Amino acid sequence: LLLLQHPPVITVGVRGDGGRSNIVVPSARLEELGIEVFETGRGGDVTYHGPGQVVVYPILKLAQHTAGPRRLVQLLEDVIIRLLKHWGIDGHRIEKRPGIWVLMPQPAKIASIGIRIERGITLHGFALNVDMDLTPFQRIRPCGFADCLVSSMNVLCGKTIPLDEVKSDLARIFSEVFSIEWI
């Protein structure tokens, strides 16, 4: 289980068009801002990663932990929802809207999920907005949704959220949901 942060970057998944139509600012502006764009092999469309966001890469033999890709996504969603609940935030699934959402009064995305499975091994994972600047999300249509609002744990809690605590909580909750004992 890799828990990390990325420098400012926009990634385009396999559902995104190689033409990057869901990036709404010119490439030159992204260069000025120091935001690189990468096409990835993960599922999903476009998203932003940056400081203050915890990106989680579980590397698992799929058959040892779940019945298939859909169940893997459900388990990852369970991890995120339980983590948010631990911090006093209600996370929700919304049909036909991937990721985890908060209802505040309008739905806002707080976590993105994009997986890939290669030779039975899971790759990629999810990104949780913890304590970050949300402005870069205005430069994209997250997951291809023009009407997508984005939030973070610090906005919802009204305080600074320590990333190390969130990472520790994520590792603990992940081990519970996937029945893994860390050594």
Side-chain angles (χ1 to χ4, degrees):
L1 184 68
L2 304 176
L3 303 163
L4 52 103
Q5 293 181 77
H6 284 298
V9 63
I10 292 172
T11 61
V12 181
V14 296
R15 288 197 184 165
D17 65 357
R20 304 171 182 182
S21 64
N22 286 313
I23 301 172
V24 297
V25 297
S27 296
R29 178 67 180 135
L30 293 175
E31 285 180 36
E32 289 173 14
L33 296 167
I35 301 174
E36 295 187 69
V37 178
F38 290 98
E39 292 184 25
T40 70
R42 66 159 170 77
D45 200 305
V46 65
T47 195
Y48 169 78
H49 299 297
Q53 179 186 66
V54 177
V55 182
V56 179
Y57 293 100
I59 303 170
L60 305 168
K61 289 184 180 178
L62 186 66
Q64 291 179 352
H65 297 281
T66 183
R70 284 184 194 239
R71 183 65 182 139
L72 172 65
V73 170
Q74 289 172 341
L75 291 172
L76 293 175
E77 291 170 339
D78 289 346
V79 168
I80 300 164
I81 289 169
R82 287 175 63 175
L83 178 278
L84 292 173
K85 184 176 179 121
H86 175 76
W87 284 86
I89 299 169
D90 289 326
H92 301 272
R93 293 173 175 97
I94 297 179
E95 190 172 336
K96 297 186 180 179
R97 295 256 177 172
I100 297 299
W101 300 75
V102 292
L103 309 177
M104 50 164 273
Q106 298 175 7
K109 192 169 210 172
I110 194 165
S112 299
I113 299 174
I115 65 165
R116 178 179 173 165
I117 299 165
E118 194 171 296
R119 290 183 234 141
I121 305 294
T122 62
L123 305 172
H124 300 281
F126 66 86
L128 175 63
N129 302 336
V130 179
D131 198 346
M132 65 184 302
D133 175 12
L134 299 173
T135 306
F137 286 101
Q138 296 171 8
R139 298 177 180 110
I140 63 173
R141 290 184 200 103
C143 298
F145 297 119
D147 61 344
C148 184
L149 299 177
V150 179
S151 194
S152 64
M153 292 175 65
N154 67 312
V155 167
L156 296 166
C157 292
K159 64 180 182 181
T160 299
I161 305 293
L163 287 170
D164 287 340
E165 284 185 42
V166 172
K167 288 178 182 179
S168 178
D169 293 338
L170 276 168
R172 177 182 48 78
I173 293 168
F174 190 92
S175 72
E176 293 168 0
V177 170
F178 282 86
S179 300
I180 294 173
E181 184 178 330
W182 303 120
I183 54 171

